[in-house]
PDB file of all heavy atoms in Angstrom:
ATOM      1  N   GLY A   1       7.073  -0.160  16.884  1.00  0.00           N
ATOM      2  CA  GLY A   1       6.521   0.641  17.969  1.00  0.00           C
ATOM      3  C   GLY A   1       5.006   0.627  17.922  1.00  0.00           C
ATOM      4  O   GLY A   1       4.381   0.343  16.917  1.00  0.00           O
ATOM      5  N   GLU A   2       4.437   0.971  19.049  1.00  0.00           N
ATOM      6  CA  GLU A   2       2.971   0.970  19.195  1.00  0.00           C
ATOM      7  C   GLU A   2       2.370   2.068  18.315  1.00  0.00           C
ATOM      8  O   GLU A   2       2.927   3.150  18.191  1.00  0.00           O
ATOM      9  CB  GLU A   2       2.668   1.265  20.663  1.00  0.00           C
ATOM     10  CG  GLU A   2       1.191   1.214  20.987  1.00  0.00           C
ATOM     11  CD  GLU A   2       0.926   1.473  22.472  1.00  0.00           C
ATOM     12  OE1 GLU A   2       1.883   1.591  23.248  1.00  0.00           O
ATOM     13  OE2 GLU A   2      -0.251   1.593  22.794  1.00  0.00           O
ATOM     14  N   ASP A   3       1.230   1.743  17.711  1.00  0.00           N
ATOM     15  CA  ASP A   3       0.546   2.708  16.878  1.00  0.00           C
ATOM     16  C   ASP A   3      -0.336   3.567  17.742  1.00  0.00           C
ATOM     17  O   ASP A   3      -1.413   3.183  18.121  1.00  0.00           O
ATOM     18  CB  ASP A   3      -0.305   1.937  15.843  1.00  0.00           C
ATOM     19  CG  ASP A   3      -1.062   2.899  14.932  1.00  0.00           C
ATOM     20  OD1 ASP A   3      -0.908   4.109  15.036  1.00  0.00           O
ATOM     21  OD2 ASP A   3      -1.864   2.381  14.097  1.00  0.00           O
ATOM     22  N   THR A   4       0.147   4.765  18.058  1.00  0.00           N
ATOM     23  CA  THR A   4      -0.610   5.675  18.903  1.00  0.00           C
ATOM     24  C   THR A   4      -1.487   6.607  18.095  1.00  0.00           C
ATOM     25  O   THR A   4      -2.195   7.430  18.668  1.00  0.00           O
ATOM     26  CB  THR A   4       0.342   6.512  19.779  1.00  0.00           C
ATOM     27  OG1 THR A   4       1.191   7.281  18.905  1.00  0.00           O
ATOM     28  CG2 THR A   4       1.162   5.621  20.699  1.00  0.00           C
ATOM     29  N   LEU A   5      -1.483   6.478  16.784  1.00  0.00           N
ATOM     30  CA  LEU A   5      -2.280   7.335  15.916  1.00  0.00           C
ATOM     31  C   LEU A   5      -3.427   6.588  15.289  1.00  0.00           C
ATOM     32  O   LEU A   5      -3.991   7.046  14.258  1.00  0.00           O
ATOM     33  CB  LEU A   5      -1.389   7.965  14.835  1.00  0.00           C
ATOM     34  CG  LEU A   5      -0.236   8.825  15.337  1.00  0.00           C
ATOM     35  CD1 LEU A   5       0.661   9.283  14.207  1.00  0.00           C
ATOM     36  CD2 LEU A   5      -0.794  10.056  16.076  1.00  0.00           C
ATOM     37  N   GLN A   6      -3.790   5.435  15.793  1.00  0.00           N
ATOM     38  CA  GLN A   6      -4.912   4.651  15.317  1.00  0.00           C
ATOM     39  C   GLN A   6      -4.870   4.389  13.798  1.00  0.00           C
ATOM     40  O   GLN A   6      -5.873   4.537  13.093  1.00  0.00           O
ATOM     41  CB  GLN A   6      -6.267   5.303  15.680  1.00  0.00           C
ATOM     42  CG  GLN A   6      -6.595   5.333  17.163  1.00  0.00           C
ATOM     43  CD  GLN A   6      -5.789   6.387  17.907  1.00  0.00           C
ATOM     44  OE1 GLN A   6      -5.623   7.521  17.442  1.00  0.00           O
ATOM     45  NE2 GLN A   6      -5.284   6.026  19.082  1.00  0.00           N
ATOM     46  N   GLY A   7      -3.695   4.034  13.306  1.00  0.00           N
ATOM     47  CA  GLY A   7      -3.536   3.653  11.917  1.00  0.00           C
ATOM     48  C   GLY A   7      -3.254   4.795  10.970  1.00  0.00           C
ATOM     49  O   GLY A   7      -3.133   4.580   9.750  1.00  0.00           O
ATOM     50  N   GLU A   8      -3.116   6.017  11.460  1.00  0.00           N
ATOM     51  CA  GLU A   8      -2.896   7.187  10.591  1.00  0.00           C
ATOM     52  C   GLU A   8      -1.577   7.040   9.761  1.00  0.00           C
ATOM     53  O   GLU A   8      -1.556   7.394   8.574  1.00  0.00           O
ATOM     54  CB  GLU A   8      -2.849   8.464  11.396  1.00  0.00           C
ATOM     55  CG  GLU A   8      -2.710   9.722  10.570  1.00  0.00           C
ATOM     56  CD  GLU A   8      -3.867   9.965   9.633  1.00  0.00           C
ATOM     57  OE1 GLU A   8      -4.998   9.561   9.925  1.00  0.00           O
ATOM     58  OE2 GLU A   8      -3.632  10.539   8.563  1.00  0.00           O
ATOM     59  N   ALA A   9      -0.536   6.506  10.368  1.00  0.00           N
ATOM     60  CA  ALA A   9       0.726   6.343   9.627  1.00  0.00           C
ATOM     61  C   ALA A   9       0.554   5.370   8.485  1.00  0.00           C
ATOM     62  O   ALA A   9       1.085   5.579   7.395  1.00  0.00           O
ATOM     63  CB  ALA A   9       1.835   5.943  10.570  1.00  0.00           C
ATOM     64  N   GLY A  10      -0.159   4.309   8.735  1.00  0.00           N
ATOM     65  CA  GLY A  10      -0.411   3.325   7.668  1.00  0.00           C
ATOM     66  C   GLY A  10      -1.226   3.897   6.545  1.00  0.00           C
ATOM     67  O   GLY A  10      -0.958   3.636   5.349  1.00  0.00           O
ATOM     68  N   ARG A  11      -2.244   4.660   6.895  1.00  0.00           N
ATOM     69  CA  ARG A  11      -3.065   5.323   5.856  1.00  0.00           C
ATOM     70  C   ARG A  11      -2.251   6.312   5.042  1.00  0.00           C
ATOM     71  O   ARG A  11      -2.413   6.437   3.845  1.00  0.00           O
ATOM     72  CB  ARG A  11      -4.278   5.968   6.497  1.00  0.00           C
ATOM     73  CG  ARG A  11      -5.299   4.949   7.026  1.00  0.00           C
ATOM     74  CD  ARG A  11      -6.630   5.626   7.471  1.00  0.00           C
ATOM     75  NE  ARG A  11      -6.449   6.433   8.670  1.00  0.00           N
ATOM     76  CZ  ARG A  11      -6.472   5.975   9.901  1.00  0.00           C
ATOM     77  NH1 ARG A  11      -6.593   4.685  10.121  1.00  0.00           N
ATOM     78  NH2 ARG A  11      -6.352   6.791  10.949  1.00  0.00           N
ATOM     79  N   LEU A  12      -1.356   7.066   5.713  1.00  0.00           N
ATOM     80  CA  LEU A  12      -0.510   8.020   5.021  1.00  0.00           C
ATOM     81  C   LEU A  12       0.429   7.260   4.056  1.00  0.00           C
ATOM     82  O   LEU A  12       0.583   7.677   2.894  1.00  0.00           O
ATOM     83  CB  LEU A  12       0.290   8.856   5.990  1.00  0.00           C
ATOM     84  CG  LEU A  12       1.294   9.843   5.367  1.00  0.00           C
ATOM     85  CD1 LEU A  12       0.571  10.849   4.465  1.00  0.00           C
ATOM     86  CD2 LEU A  12       2.074  10.528   6.447  1.00  0.00           C
ATOM     87  N   ALA A  13       1.026   6.184   4.515  1.00  0.00           N
ATOM     88  CA  ALA A  13       1.923   5.408   3.655  1.00  0.00           C
ATOM     89  C   ALA A  13       1.171   4.881   2.423  1.00  0.00           C
ATOM     90  O   ALA A  13       1.682   4.972   1.302  1.00  0.00           O
ATOM     91  CB  ALA A  13       2.521   4.245   4.420  1.00  0.00           C
ATOM     92  N   ALA A  14      -0.053   4.427   2.626  1.00  0.00           N
ATOM     93  CA  ALA A  14      -0.869   3.946   1.511  1.00  0.00           C
ATOM     94  C   ALA A  14      -1.186   5.076   0.545  1.00  0.00           C
ATOM     95  O   ALA A  14      -1.118   4.896  -0.670  1.00  0.00           O
ATOM     96  CB  ALA A  14      -2.142   3.281   2.036  1.00  0.00           C
ATOM     97  N   SER A  15      -1.582   6.250   1.068  1.00  0.00           N
ATOM     98  CA  SER A  15      -1.951   7.364   0.208  1.00  0.00           C
ATOM     99  C   SER A  15      -0.766   7.888  -0.593  1.00  0.00           C
ATOM    100  O   SER A  15      -0.950   8.451  -1.679  1.00  0.00           O
ATOM    101  CB  SER A  15      -2.575   8.497   1.010  1.00  0.00           C
ATOM    102  OG  SER A  15      -1.582   9.200   1.746  1.00  0.00           O
ATOM    103  N   LEU A  16       0.460   7.657  -0.111  1.00  0.00           N
ATOM    104  CA  LEU A  16       1.654   8.098  -0.793  1.00  0.00           C
ATOM    105  C   LEU A  16       2.201   7.008  -1.742  1.00  0.00           C
ATOM    106  O   LEU A  16       3.252   7.152  -2.346  1.00  0.00           O
ATOM    107  CB  LEU A  16       2.750   8.481   0.205  1.00  0.00           C
ATOM    108  CG  LEU A  16       2.420   9.717   1.052  1.00  0.00           C
ATOM    109  CD1 LEU A  16       3.507   9.911   2.120  1.00  0.00           C
ATOM    110  CD2 LEU A  16       2.312  10.952   0.180  1.00  0.00           C
ATOM    111  N   GLY A  17       1.490   5.882  -1.789  1.00  0.00           N
ATOM    112  CA  GLY A  17       1.946   4.757  -2.632  1.00  0.00           C
ATOM    113  C   GLY A  17       3.106   3.982  -2.020  1.00  0.00           C
ATOM    114  O   GLY A  17       3.840   3.333  -2.734  1.00  0.00           O
ATOM    115  N   LEU A  18       3.282   4.083  -0.711  1.00  0.00           N
ATOM    116  CA  LEU A  18       4.435   3.441  -0.049  1.00  0.00           C
ATOM    117  C   LEU A  18       4.040   2.211   0.779  1.00  0.00           C
ATOM    118  O   LEU A  18       4.877   1.660   1.488  1.00  0.00           O
ATOM    119  CB  LEU A  18       5.103   4.439   0.862  1.00  0.00           C
ATOM    120  CG  LEU A  18       5.661   5.684   0.158  1.00  0.00           C
ATOM    121  CD1 LEU A  18       6.189   6.678   1.166  1.00  0.00           C
ATOM    122  CD2 LEU A  18       6.789   5.278  -0.812  1.00  0.00           C
ATOM    123  N   ALA A  19       2.781   1.799   0.727  1.00  0.00           N
ATOM    124  CA  ALA A  19       2.333   0.706   1.620  1.00  0.00           C
ATOM    125  C   ALA A  19       3.162  -0.549   1.426  1.00  0.00           C
ATOM    126  O   ALA A  19       3.437  -1.236   2.406  1.00  0.00           O
ATOM    127  CB  ALA A  19       0.841   0.414   1.342  1.00  0.00           C
ATOM    128  N   GLY A  20       3.617  -0.826   0.218  1.00  0.00           N
ATOM    129  CA  GLY A  20       4.453  -2.010  -0.017  1.00  0.00           C
ATOM    130  C   GLY A  20       5.894  -1.869   0.455  1.00  0.00           C
ATOM    131  O   GLY A  20       6.647  -2.829   0.460  1.00  0.00           O
ATOM    132  N   ARG A  21       6.283  -0.679   0.870  1.00  0.00           N
ATOM    133  CA  ARG A  21       7.638  -0.366   1.299  1.00  0.00           C
ATOM    134  C   ARG A  21       7.754  -0.195   2.804  1.00  0.00           C
ATOM    135  O   ARG A  21       8.871   0.002   3.312  1.00  0.00           O
ATOM    136  CB  ARG A  21       8.142   0.894   0.634  1.00  0.00           C
ATOM    137  CG  ARG A  21       8.266   0.799  -0.868  1.00  0.00           C
ATOM    138  CD  ARG A  21       9.489   0.070  -1.204  1.00  0.00           C
ATOM    139  NE  ARG A  21       9.774   0.165  -2.635  1.00  0.00           N
ATOM    140  CZ  ARG A  21      10.845  -0.401  -3.156  1.00  0.00           C
ATOM    141  NH1 ARG A  21      11.670  -1.038  -2.402  1.00  0.00           N
ATOM    142  NH2 ARG A  21      11.038  -0.292  -4.441  1.00  0.00           N
ATOM    143  N   VAL A  22       6.640  -0.215   3.515  1.00  0.00           N
ATOM    144  CA  VAL A  22       6.645  -0.016   4.972  1.00  0.00           C
ATOM    145  C   VAL A  22       6.026  -1.206   5.658  1.00  0.00           C
ATOM    146  O   VAL A  22       4.891  -1.585   5.364  1.00  0.00           O
ATOM    147  CB  VAL A  22       5.893   1.275   5.361  1.00  0.00           C
ATOM    148  CG1 VAL A  22       5.978   1.491   6.876  1.00  0.00           C
ATOM    149  CG2 VAL A  22       6.427   2.494   4.625  1.00  0.00           C
ATOM    150  N   ASP A  23       6.755  -1.820   6.571  1.00  0.00           N
ATOM    151  CA  ASP A  23       6.229  -2.908   7.374  1.00  0.00           C
ATOM    152  C   ASP A  23       6.009  -2.388   8.800  1.00  0.00           C
ATOM    153  O   ASP A  23       6.955  -1.963   9.479  1.00  0.00           O
ATOM    154  CB  ASP A  23       7.204  -4.091   7.449  1.00  0.00           C
ATOM    155  CG  ASP A  23       7.310  -4.822   6.136  1.00  0.00           C
ATOM    156  OD1 ASP A  23       6.289  -4.900   5.423  1.00  0.00           O
ATOM    157  OD2 ASP A  23       8.396  -5.334   5.805  1.00  0.00           O
ATOM    158  N   PHE A  24       4.758  -2.400   9.219  1.00  0.00           N
ATOM    159  CA  PHE A  24       4.406  -1.957  10.596  1.00  0.00           C
ATOM    160  C   PHE A  24       4.421  -3.171  11.499  1.00  0.00           C
ATOM    161  O   PHE A  24       3.589  -4.054  11.373  1.00  0.00           O
ATOM    162  CB  PHE A  24       3.051  -1.276  10.594  1.00  0.00           C
ATOM    163  CG  PHE A  24       3.016   0.015   9.848  1.00  0.00           C
ATOM    164  CD1 PHE A  24       2.709   0.063   8.486  1.00  0.00           C
ATOM    165  CD2 PHE A  24       3.333   1.202  10.473  1.00  0.00           C
ATOM    166  CE1 PHE A  24       2.696   1.263   7.801  1.00  0.00           C
ATOM    167  CE2 PHE A  24       3.313   2.413   9.794  1.00  0.00           C
ATOM    168  CZ  PHE A  24       3.007   2.440   8.440  1.00  0.00           C
ATOM    169  N   HIS A  25       5.379  -3.197  12.431  1.00  0.00           N
ATOM    170  CA  HIS A  25       5.569  -4.352  13.305  1.00  0.00           C
ATOM    171  C   HIS A  25       4.895  -4.211  14.659  1.00  0.00           C
ATOM    172  O   HIS A  25       4.858  -5.174  15.416  1.00  0.00           O
ATOM    173  CB  HIS A  25       7.088  -4.616  13.491  1.00  0.00           C
ATOM    174  CG  HIS A  25       7.793  -4.949  12.232  1.00  0.00           C
ATOM    175  ND1 HIS A  25       7.777  -6.188  11.642  1.00  0.00           N
ATOM    176  CD2 HIS A  25       8.508  -4.159  11.407  1.00  0.00           C
ATOM    177  CE1 HIS A  25       8.481  -6.164  10.533  1.00  0.00           C
ATOM    178  NE2 HIS A  25       8.939  -4.937  10.352  1.00  0.00           N
ATOM    179  N   GLY A  26       4.428  -3.016  14.986  1.00  0.00           N
ATOM    180  CA  GLY A  26       3.782  -2.800  16.281  1.00  0.00           C
ATOM    181  C   GLY A  26       4.764  -2.932  17.437  1.00  0.00           C
ATOM    182  O   GLY A  26       5.988  -2.917  17.260  1.00  0.00           O
ATOM    183  N   PHE A  27       4.216  -3.046  18.640  1.00  0.00           N
ATOM    184  CA  PHE A  27       5.031  -3.178  19.838  1.00  0.00           C
ATOM    185  C   PHE A  27       5.875  -4.450  19.750  1.00  0.00           C
ATOM    186  O   PHE A  27       5.374  -5.492  19.369  1.00  0.00           O
ATOM    187  CB  PHE A  27       4.167  -3.234  21.095  1.00  0.00           C
ATOM    188  CG  PHE A  27       4.930  -3.548  22.331  1.00  0.00           C
ATOM    189  CD1 PHE A  27       5.623  -2.532  22.996  1.00  0.00           C
ATOM    190  CD2 PHE A  27       4.988  -4.836  22.824  1.00  0.00           C
ATOM    191  CE1 PHE A  27       6.363  -2.822  24.126  1.00  0.00           C
ATOM    192  CE2 PHE A  27       5.728  -5.109  23.955  1.00  0.00           C
ATOM    193  CZ  PHE A  27       6.419  -4.115  24.631  1.00  0.00           C
ATOM    194  N   GLN A  28       7.142  -4.324  20.120  1.00  0.00           N
ATOM    195  CA  GLN A  28       8.029  -5.490  20.130  1.00  0.00           C
ATOM    196  C   GLN A  28       8.696  -5.506  21.509  1.00  0.00           C
ATOM    197  O   GLN A  28       9.047  -4.481  22.083  1.00  0.00           O
ATOM    198  CB  GLN A  28       9.108  -5.389  19.050  1.00  0.00           C
ATOM    199  CG  GLN A  28       8.545  -5.371  17.654  1.00  0.00           C
ATOM    200  CD  GLN A  28       7.904  -6.675  17.260  1.00  0.00           C
ATOM    201  OE1 GLN A  28       8.448  -7.761  17.507  1.00  0.00           O
ATOM    202  NE2 GLN A  28       6.724  -6.589  16.706  1.00  0.00           N
ATOM    203  N   THR A  29       8.950  -6.721  22.016  1.00  0.00           N
ATOM    204  CA  THR A  29       9.640  -6.838  23.286  1.00  0.00           C
ATOM    205  C   THR A  29      11.093  -6.493  23.105  1.00  0.00           C
ATOM    206  O   THR A  29      11.618  -6.567  22.009  1.00  0.00           O
ATOM    207  CB  THR A  29       9.493  -8.260  23.852  1.00  0.00           C
ATOM    208  OG1 THR A  29      10.146  -9.179  22.932  1.00  0.00           O
ATOM    209  CG2 THR A  29       8.032  -8.652  24.056  1.00  0.00           C
ATOM    210  N   TYR A  30      11.719  -6.173  24.198  1.00  0.00           N
ATOM    211  CA  TYR A  30      13.146  -5.800  24.203  1.00  0.00           C
ATOM    212  C   TYR A  30      13.999  -6.906  23.543  1.00  0.00           C
ATOM    213  O   TYR A  30      14.930  -6.597  22.811  1.00  0.00           O
ATOM    214  CB  TYR A  30      13.595  -5.540  25.649  1.00  0.00           C
ATOM    215  CG  TYR A  30      15.034  -5.237  25.777  1.00  0.00           C
ATOM    216  CD1 TYR A  30      15.509  -3.944  25.421  1.00  0.00           C
ATOM    217  CD2 TYR A  30      15.950  -6.171  26.206  1.00  0.00           C
ATOM    218  CE1 TYR A  30      16.872  -3.643  25.535  1.00  0.00           C
ATOM    219  CE2 TYR A  30      17.295  -5.872  26.314  1.00  0.00           C
ATOM    220  CZ  TYR A  30      17.764  -4.613  25.973  1.00  0.00           C
ATOM    221  OH  TYR A  30      19.079  -4.330  26.063  1.00  0.00           O
ATOM    222  N   GLU A  31      13.628  -8.152  23.817  1.00  0.00           N
ATOM    223  CA  GLU A  31      14.409  -9.285  23.298  1.00  0.00           C
ATOM    224  C   GLU A  31      14.353  -9.397  21.789  1.00  0.00           C
ATOM    225  O   GLU A  31      15.276  -9.913  21.151  1.00  0.00           O
ATOM    226  CB  GLU A  31      13.913 -10.611  23.915  1.00  0.00           C
ATOM    227  CG  GLU A  31      14.207 -10.719  25.408  1.00  0.00           C
ATOM    228  CD  GLU A  31      13.190  -9.947  26.297  1.00  0.00           C
ATOM    229  OE1 GLU A  31      12.088  -9.624  25.784  1.00  0.00           O
ATOM    230  OE2 GLU A  31      13.543  -9.666  27.427  1.00  0.00           O
ATOM    231  N   ARG A  32      13.308  -8.866  21.180  1.00  0.00           N
ATOM    232  CA  ARG A  32      13.175  -8.949  19.716  1.00  0.00           C
ATOM    233  C   ARG A  32      13.810  -7.786  18.963  1.00  0.00           C
ATOM    234  O   ARG A  32      14.033  -7.874  17.752  1.00  0.00           O
ATOM    235  CB  ARG A  32      11.679  -9.024  19.374  1.00  0.00           C
ATOM    236  CG  ARG A  32      11.055 -10.312  19.869  1.00  0.00           C
ATOM    237  CD  ARG A  32       9.855 -10.743  19.158  1.00  0.00           C
ATOM    238  NE  ARG A  32      10.086 -10.769  17.740  1.00  0.00           N
ATOM    239  CZ  ARG A  32       9.102 -10.898  16.866  1.00  0.00           C
ATOM    240  NH1 ARG A  32       7.882 -10.954  17.252  1.00  0.00           N
ATOM    241  NH2 ARG A  32       9.364 -10.917  15.579  1.00  0.00           N
ATOM    242  N   LEU A  33      14.152  -6.720  19.658  1.00  0.00           N
ATOM    243  CA  LEU A  33      14.712  -5.543  18.977  1.00  0.00           C
ATOM    244  C   LEU A  33      16.042  -5.791  18.245  1.00  0.00           C
ATOM    245  O   LEU A  33      16.238  -5.267  17.148  1.00  0.00           O
ATOM    246  CB  LEU A  33      14.856  -4.375  19.936  1.00  0.00           C
ATOM    247  CG  LEU A  33      13.535  -3.821  20.473  1.00  0.00           C
ATOM    248  CD1 LEU A  33      13.790  -2.694  21.449  1.00  0.00           C
ATOM    249  CD2 LEU A  33      12.651  -3.353  19.339  1.00  0.00           C
ATOM    250  N   PRO A  34      16.959  -6.597  18.799  1.00  0.00           N
ATOM    251  CA  PRO A  34      18.230  -6.795  18.058  1.00  0.00           C
ATOM    252  C   PRO A  34      18.075  -7.347  16.647  1.00  0.00           C
ATOM    253  O   PRO A  34      18.880  -7.049  15.804  1.00  0.00           O
ATOM    254  CB  PRO A  34      18.983  -7.795  18.970  1.00  0.00           C
ATOM    255  CG  PRO A  34      18.493  -7.498  20.330  1.00  0.00           C
ATOM    256  CD  PRO A  34      17.017  -7.182  20.127  1.00  0.00           C
ATOM    257  N   GLN A  35      17.023  -8.112  16.386  1.00  0.00           N
ATOM    258  CA  GLN A  35      16.806  -8.599  15.036  1.00  0.00           C
ATOM    259  C   GLN A  35      16.558  -7.457  14.051  1.00  0.00           C
ATOM    260  O   GLN A  35      16.968  -7.533  12.882  1.00  0.00           O
ATOM    261  CB  GLN A  35      15.687  -9.643  14.984  1.00  0.00           C
ATOM    262  CG  GLN A  35      14.293  -9.033  15.022  1.00  0.00           C
ATOM    263  CD  GLN A  35      13.215 -10.083  14.946  1.00  0.00           C
ATOM    264  OE1 GLN A  35      13.433 -11.266  15.127  1.00  0.00           O
ATOM    265  NE2 GLN A  35      12.001  -9.643  14.681  1.00  0.00           N
ATOM    266  N   PHE A  36      15.918  -6.401  14.522  1.00  0.00           N
ATOM    267  CA  PHE A  36      15.683  -5.272  13.656  1.00  0.00           C
ATOM    268  C   PHE A  36      16.964  -4.458  13.481  1.00  0.00           C
ATOM    269  O   PHE A  36      17.280  -4.004  12.377  1.00  0.00           O
ATOM    270  CB  PHE A  36      14.562  -4.359  14.240  1.00  0.00           C
ATOM    271  CG  PHE A  36      13.236  -5.043  14.222  1.00  0.00           C
ATOM    272  CD1 PHE A  36      12.695  -5.587  15.369  1.00  0.00           C
ATOM    273  CD2 PHE A  36      12.492  -5.143  13.058  1.00  0.00           C
ATOM    274  CE1 PHE A  36      11.457  -6.213  15.359  1.00  0.00           C
ATOM    275  CE2 PHE A  36      11.248  -5.754  13.016  1.00  0.00           C
ATOM    276  CZ  PHE A  36      10.739  -6.297  14.172  1.00  0.00           C
ATOM    277  N   TYR A  37      17.710  -4.213  14.559  1.00  0.00           N
ATOM    278  CA  TYR A  37      18.959  -3.494  14.453  1.00  0.00           C
ATOM    279  C   TYR A  37      19.960  -4.230  13.598  1.00  0.00           C
ATOM    280  O   TYR A  37      20.704  -3.584  12.865  1.00  0.00           O
ATOM    281  CB  TYR A  37      19.577  -3.288  15.855  1.00  0.00           C
ATOM    282  CG  TYR A  37      18.766  -2.406  16.784  1.00  0.00           C
ATOM    283  CD1 TYR A  37      18.746  -2.650  18.138  1.00  0.00           C
ATOM    284  CD2 TYR A  37      18.052  -1.355  16.312  1.00  0.00           C
ATOM    285  CE1 TYR A  37      18.023  -1.850  19.014  1.00  0.00           C
ATOM    286  CE2 TYR A  37      17.300  -0.545  17.169  1.00  0.00           C
ATOM    287  CZ  TYR A  37      17.285  -0.804  18.501  1.00  0.00           C
ATOM    288  OH  TYR A  37      16.569  -0.019  19.347  1.00  0.00           O
ATOM    289  N   GLY A  38      19.956  -5.536  13.653  1.00  0.00           N
ATOM    290  CA  GLY A  38      20.900  -6.329  12.874  1.00  0.00           C
ATOM    291  C   GLY A  38      20.762  -6.203  11.383  1.00  0.00           C
ATOM    292  O   GLY A  38      21.730  -6.344  10.667  1.00  0.00           O
ATOM    293  N   ARG A  39      19.568  -5.917  10.897  1.00  0.00           N
ATOM    294  CA  ARG A  39      19.363  -5.814   9.460  1.00  0.00           C
ATOM    295  C   ARG A  39      19.196  -4.362   8.976  1.00  0.00           C
ATOM    296  O   ARG A  39      19.023  -4.087   7.809  1.00  0.00           O
ATOM    297  CB  ARG A  39      18.216  -6.649   9.003  1.00  0.00           C
ATOM    298  CG  ARG A  39      16.859  -6.197   9.492  1.00  0.00           C
ATOM    299  CD  ARG A  39      15.792  -7.145   8.944  1.00  0.00           C
ATOM    300  NE  ARG A  39      14.492  -6.651   9.307  1.00  0.00           N
ATOM    301  CZ  ARG A  39      13.508  -7.412   9.789  1.00  0.00           C
ATOM    302  NH1 ARG A  39      13.721  -8.688   9.982  1.00  0.00           N
ATOM    303  NH2 ARG A  39      12.330  -6.889  10.045  1.00  0.00           N
ATOM    304  N   ALA A  40      19.248  -3.410   9.920  1.00  0.00           N
ATOM    305  CA  ALA A  40      19.011  -2.014   9.593  1.00  0.00           C
ATOM    306  C   ALA A  40      20.231  -1.359   8.969  1.00  0.00           C
ATOM    307  O   ALA A  40      21.357  -1.759   9.232  1.00  0.00           O
ATOM    308  CB  ALA A  40      18.591  -1.249  10.825  1.00  0.00           C
ATOM    309  N   ARG A  41      19.981  -0.311   8.198  1.00  0.00           N
ATOM    310  CA  ARG A  41      21.047   0.515   7.638  1.00  0.00           C
ATOM    311  C   ARG A  41      21.070   1.887   8.285  1.00  0.00           C
ATOM    312  O   ARG A  41      22.055   2.625   8.165  1.00  0.00           O
ATOM    313  CB  ARG A  41      20.865   0.656   6.130  1.00  0.00           C
ATOM    314  CG  ARG A  41      21.013  -0.648   5.397  1.00  0.00           C
ATOM    315  CD  ARG A  41      20.859  -0.395   3.934  1.00  0.00           C
ATOM    316  NE  ARG A  41      20.889  -1.651   3.220  1.00  0.00           N
ATOM    317  CZ  ARG A  41      20.547  -1.811   1.993  1.00  0.00           C
ATOM    318  NH1 ARG A  41      20.130  -0.768   1.278  1.00  0.00           N
ATOM    319  NH2 ARG A  41      20.602  -2.982   1.413  1.00  0.00           N
ATOM    320  N   LEU A  42      19.954   2.258   8.922  1.00  0.00           N
ATOM    321  CA  LEU A  42      19.801   3.609   9.507  1.00  0.00           C
ATOM    322  C   LEU A  42      18.737   3.511  10.592  1.00  0.00           C
ATOM    323  O   LEU A  42      17.747   2.795  10.466  1.00  0.00           O
ATOM    324  CB  LEU A  42      19.303   4.578   8.394  1.00  0.00           C
ATOM    325  CG  LEU A  42      18.887   5.971   8.820  1.00  0.00           C
ATOM    326  CD1 LEU A  42      20.131   6.775   9.176  1.00  0.00           C
ATOM    327  CD2 LEU A  42      18.156   6.674   7.648  1.00  0.00           C
ATOM    328  N   TYR A  43      18.933   4.269  11.695  1.00  0.00           N
ATOM    329  CA  TYR A  43      17.952   4.367  12.736  1.00  0.00           C
ATOM    330  C   TYR A  43      17.356   5.762  12.705  1.00  0.00           C
ATOM    331  O   TYR A  43      18.076   6.737  12.729  1.00  0.00           O
ATOM    332  CB  TYR A  43      18.565   4.107  14.109  1.00  0.00           C
ATOM    333  CG  TYR A  43      17.573   4.265  15.218  1.00  0.00           C
ATOM    334  CD1 TYR A  43      16.679   3.260  15.514  1.00  0.00           C
ATOM    335  CD2 TYR A  43      17.495   5.425  15.958  1.00  0.00           C
ATOM    336  CE1 TYR A  43      15.725   3.398  16.503  1.00  0.00           C
ATOM    337  CE2 TYR A  43      16.568   5.616  16.971  1.00  0.00           C
ATOM    338  CZ  TYR A  43      15.691   4.588  17.249  1.00  0.00           C
ATOM    339  OH  TYR A  43      14.767   4.754  18.223  1.00  0.00           O
ATOM    340  N   VAL A  44      16.015   5.840  12.647  1.00  0.00           N
ATOM    341  CA  VAL A  44      15.333   7.125  12.661  1.00  0.00           C
ATOM    342  C   VAL A  44      14.570   7.234  13.956  1.00  0.00           C
ATOM    343  O   VAL A  44      13.672   6.405  14.227  1.00  0.00           O
ATOM    344  CB  VAL A  44      14.377   7.272  11.456  1.00  0.00           C
ATOM    345  CG1 VAL A  44      13.640   8.600  11.523  1.00  0.00           C
ATOM    346  CG2 VAL A  44      15.114   7.134  10.154  1.00  0.00           C
TER     347      VAL A  44
END
């Protein structure tokens, strides 16, 4: 999804030591979403 917080979520992940566990993919087209759903275990 689009980063509407100007990188705040990424900075928070880094400050919590989670930067290596979170991949920020940004805006994705509708056609690309199934690849994420296909490998997901949970939708938040």
Side-chain angles (χ1 to χ4, degrees):
E2 184 179 354
D3 180 3
T4 61
L5 299 174
Q6 294 76 41
E8 184 62 30
R11 289 189 292 276
L12 177 60
S15 74
L16 295 173
L18 299 173
R21 296 281 191 180
V22 182
D23 290 327
F24 293 91
H25 299 279
F27 173 82
Q28 299 294 314
T29 63
Y30 178 77
E31 293 79 20
R32 295 203 52 193
L33 293 179
Q35 77 180 15
F36 293 102
Y37 295 146
R39 67 179 186 225
R41 295 182 184 166
L42 172 71
Y43 176 80
V44 178

